[in-house]
Amino acid sequence: MSTTKPILYSYWRSSCAWRVRIALALKGIEYEYRPIDLFSKTSKNNPEFVAHNPAKKVPTLLINGLSLTESLAIIEYLDEAYPNPPLLPKELDKRAYARAISLHIVSGIQPLQAISLHKMLNEKEPGYGDFWCKHFVTRGFEALEKLLIKHSGTFCVGEQLSIADLNLPSIIFNAKIYKVDMTPYPTINRIAATLAEIPQFQAAHPDVQPDAPKS
Amino acid sequence: MSTTKPILYSYWRSSCAWRVRIALALKGIEYEYRPIDLFSKTSKNNPEFVAHNPAKKVPTLLINGLSLTESLAIIEYLDEAYPNPPLLPKELDKRAYARAISLHIVSGIQPLQAISLHKMLNEKEPGYGDFWCKHFVTRGFEALEKLLIKHSGTFCVGEQLSIADLNLPSIIFNAKIYKVDMTPYPTINRIAATLAEIPQFQAAHPDVQPDAPKS
């Protein structure tokens, strides 16, 4: 492994960057935080950033001479390059469940309630973005609750913290912004409460990032 | 491994089921095809199907006593349980690129142009679904072309067919439905032409599935 400090292009409120910040914290990897303001064209078009990720998306992680993109791909890389503590179970069935829960959130819920989409739809018709995001998060959480009833223990998949858990805090954070009623999801809430007590999850929270607005 | 024949709940036009059909064909795994009509409430609410996947989504794969969901999670499981031919490169960097290209399509493009979304937005305002889907596929393909220029050889990642390639045919099929101009994407087109010659890719095409409409 290279001795150069990894660099994370991040945005405090980005759900995708949040997941990777948790993984880096759990693996004990120190990194330099470089903020990209997703609402500033100048910041997003920073040539140094775009060269590493032409999709202009965060997170982008520079590590061991590589430019890595897409949160779940980055987390899988970190787990292969830095195996301890593991973020995937050993058993093939549990690995599949951990990945399925992750993808249910990352491809099944997250893209349909992104901040940019919310804005675009509210501009189309005032309130339509609010309706839309609440609708898709609610639909996604109904299925997520059932998935977690099937597979969870203390964590999303049994008794071991895994990649699945890394996706939970950000989607719940957004659900609250969209005023989703969380009472029908006791399993989601229980696991979220457990995760909120873990120092590495606390260190990855948007509010404590260098680019978070000062309150 | 169990000797019971695996069962795939699929829908001929589903992009996500298509990816898994390619993986099963490449691994030489025979399976029973059970069609779910995503536009029929009765078919989607088939209790046997819902018990295996409460999200009521295809693909759902019953294999070795497990109910597996989410296309990329299923493909990773198949690659771990049936390692030949491999669908992930051996090198950590190439594994990360193959997963990133997959996720760019599966979470970055696919969810924003799903058939159900297209219908919902066209009902909101005639033509808005068409505009929307074309917009997000075009935006996604601009970044995908750049990613592939960086990482591709004969296939999406170098000279080895990988999980990344499994995601390409379905998103291009949809792009054509939404009348996306494909001329600015020579790398995407070149790889797609190579994949279209592979018998296992041909066997997974929607048109040859048991539930495809007879022309």
Side-chain angles (χ1 to χ4, degrees):
Chain A
M1 300 295 123
S2 159
T3 50
T4 316
K5 209 176 188 183
I7 292 168
L8 180 69
Y9 291 97
S10 175
Y11 175 59
W12 68 290
R13 261 196 65 184
S14 157
S15 302
C16 308
W18 187 343
R19 292 173 203 132
V20 171
R21 293 195 304 254
I22 301 171
L24 288 164
L26 288 166
K27 297 285 186 186
I29 300 168
E30 286 191 30
Y31 59 95
E32 180 189 335
Y33 187 104
R34 291 207 186 152
I36 296 295
D37 180 351
L38 298 184
F39 292 93
S40 152
K41 278 200 178 164
T42 319
S43 183
K44 272 183 76 171
N45 287 303
N46 174 342
E48 175 205 290
F49 169 58
V50 176
H52 291 299
N53 186 355
K56 304 178 191 178
K57 290 195 293 189
V58 297
T60 298
L61 181 67
L62 312 189
I63 190 165
N64 302 321
L66 311 173
S67 309
L68 302 182
T69 61
E70 298 293 337
S71 61
L72 293 182
I74 296 174
I75 295 166
E76 293 258 8
Y77 172 85
L78 291 174
D79 207 43
E80 292 178 346
Y82 307 85
N84 291 306
L87 292 177
L88 278 160
K90 277 192 183 156
E91 304 87 344
L92 297 199
D93 57 342
K94 290 187 179 171
R95 293 168 77 84
Y97 300 145
R99 287 183 173 127
I101 292 165
S102 301
L103 286 159
H104 175 72
I105 298 171
V106 170
S107 83
I109 309 176
Q110 153 65 22
L112 295 169
Q113 57 79 64
I115 318 173
S116 55
L117 223 72
H118 178 250
K119 188 165 169 264
M120 184 172 166
L121 290 165
N122 265 352
E123 279 166 6
K124 178 78 187 161
E125 182 183 294
Y128 189 50
D130 305 316
F131 157 78
W132 174 283
C133 292
K134 190 174 177 179
H135 168 79
F136 282 107
V137 174
T138 303
R139 194 188 68 170
F141 273 27
E142 282 167 13
L144 179 61
E145 177 71 16
K146 288 177 191 160
L147 270 172
L148 293 178
I149 288 170
K150 259 177 130 170
H151 301 303
S152 72
T154 304
F155 299 104
C156 286
V157 179
E159 295 306 319
Q160 187 193 329
L161 181 74
S162 76
I163 190 169
D165 299 288
L166 276 55
N167 304 291
L168 217 53
S170 53
I171 200 70
I172 296 173
F173 182 88
N174 291 1
K176 289 178 182 167
I177 291 175
Y178 298 129
K179 299 188 177 111
V180 171
D181 175 13
M182 291 297 293
T183 54
Y185 316 119
T187 316
I188 298 177
N189 294 331
R190 172 180 59 74
I191 298 168
T194 300
L195 299 176
E197 297 298 318
I198 300 173
Q200 290 91 338
F201 278 70
Q202 293 167 352
H205 195 281
D207 291 349
V208 296
Q209 301 315 306
D211 55 337
K214 309 286 169 253
S215 60
Chain B
M1 298 296 123
S2 161
T3 52
T4 316
K5 209 174 188 183
I7 293 168
L8 180 70
Y9 291 97
S10 175
Y11 175 60
W12 67 290
R13 261 196 67 185
S14 157
S15 303
C16 309
W18 187 344
R19 292 173 204 132
V20 172
R21 293 195 303 255
I22 302 172
L24 287 164
L26 288 167
K27 297 285 185 187
I29 300 168
E30 287 191 30
Y31 60 95
E32 182 188 335
Y33 187 104
R34 291 207 186 151
I36 296 293
D37 181 352
L38 297 184
F39 292 93
S40 153
K41 278 201 178 163
T42 319
S43 183
K44 273 182 76 171
N45 287 305
N46 173 342
E48 174 205 290
F49 169 58
V50 177
H52 291 300
N53 186 354
K56 304 178 190 177
K57 289 195 294 189
V58 297
T60 298
L61 181 67
L62 311 189
I63 191 166
N64 302 322
L66 310 173
S67 309
L68 302 183
T69 61
E70 298 293 336
S71 61
L72 294 182
I74 296 175
I75 296 166
E76 293 257 7
Y77 171 86
L78 291 174
D79 208 42
E80 293 178 345
Y82 307 86
N84 291 307
L87 292 177
L88 278 162
K90 276 191 184 156
E91 305 85 345
L92 296 199
D93 57 342
K94 290 188 178 171
R95 293 169 75 85
Y97 300 145
R99 288 183 173 127
I101 292 166
S102 301
L103 287 158
H104 175 70
I105 297 171
V106 170
S107 82
I109 309 177
Q110 154 64 22
L112 296 170
Q113 58 79 64
I115 317 174
S116 55
L117 223 73
H118 178 250
K119 188 164 169 264
M120 184 173 166
L121 290 166
N122 265 351
E123 279 166 6
K124 180 78 185 159
E125 182 183 294
Y128 189 52
D130 305 316
F131 158 78
W132 174 283
C133 291
K134 191 175 177 179
H135 168 79
F136 282 107
V137 174
T138 303
R139 195 189 68 172
F141 273 27
E142 282 167 12
L144 179 61
E145 176 72 14
K146 288 177 191 160
L147 270 172
L148 293 178
I149 288 170
K150 259 177 129 172
H151 301 304
S152 71
T154 303
F155 299 104
C156 286
V157 179
E159 296 306 318
Q160 187 192 327
L161 181 74
S162 77
I163 190 170
D165 299 289
L166 276 55
N167 304 292
L168 216 52
S170 53
I171 200 70
I172 295 173
F173 183 88
N174 291 2
K176 289 179 181 168
I177 292 175
Y178 297 130
K179 301 191 175 105
V180 171
D181 175 13
M182 291 297 293
T183 54
Y185 316 120
T187 317
I188 298 178
N189 293 332
R190 173 179 59 75
I191 298 168
T194 301
L195 300 176
E197 297 297 318
I198 300 173
Q200 291 91 339
F201 278 69
Q202 292 167 353
H205 195 282
D207 291 348
V208 296
Q209 302 314 306
D211 55 337
K214 309 287 168 252
S215 60

